[in-house]
Amino acid sequence: QVQLVESGGGSVQAGGSLTLSCTASGYSFRNACLGWFRQAPGKEREGVAVIYARGGRIYYDDSVRGRFTISQDNAKNMLYLQMNSLKPEDTAMYYCAAGVPGVCYSDSWRSGMDYWGKGTLVTISS
């Protein structure tokens, strides 16, 4: 059974930083498309960033490009999201997700993931 678990959420002031982590059981991140997504209250889920390390593919949504960094550690089977210069509009539940490599090269990467975590809450105050 595949299980993804996020951690690292919390409450910080605008301009601050947080690092989210995601670990998996029953699934290897080594050859997978991995992503971070978020859903703010009353809004639809949106894609934040994806990575396919073996293919050198990294993509960020315009709303976070230059502020967030996605990375992975295959030895630890971990996925990370370093978030800097946080804004109140970054407030959301953040989810990690995993899928087949091809998803990272597809226009449908925002909806093509196979496995999802339950999320970690990030709250940014002004």
Side-chain angles (χ1 to χ4, degrees):
Q1 182 179 358
V2 176
Q3 189 172 19
L4 304 183
V5 179
E6 304 91 340
S7 61
S11 298
V12 298
Q13 290 190 325
S17 298
L18 281 173
T19 299
L20 306 184
S21 300
C22 173
T23 187
S25 58
Y27 191 88
S28 173
F29 284 171
R30 188 172 298 275
N31 190 39
C33 176
L34 307 173
W36 286 99
F37 298 75
R38 66 186 182 186
Q39 187 168 19
K43 295 187 176 182
E44 293 187 354
R45 186 183 65 201
E46 61 178 1
V48 174
V50 285
I51 182 171
Y52 176 52
R54 182 168 288 188
R57 165 77 167 167
I58 294 179
Y59 179 82
Y60 297 97
D61 185 79
D62 288 344
S63 63
V64 305
R65 187 174 291 117
R67 300 188 298 122
F68 291 10
T69 302
I70 189 171
S71 63
Q72 68 184 94
D73 184 334
N74 289 333
K76 297 180 179 179
N77 210 38
M78 295 285 292
L79 176 69
Y80 303 100
L81 185 69
Q82 173 68 43
M83 306 186 295
N84 298 325
S85 303
L86 284 162
K87 305 175 181 180
E89 51 263 44
D90 294 320
T91 294
M93 186 72 80
Y94 283 71
Y95 302 88
C96 69
V100 297
V103 171
C104 273
Y105 295 90
S106 165
D107 290 338
S108 62
W109 66 269
R110 292 174 174 81
S111 60
M113 298 296 188
D114 296 316
Y115 304 104
W116 295 82
K118 294 184 178 181
T120 186
L121 182 62
V122 172
T123 304
I124 311 303
S125 58
S126 58

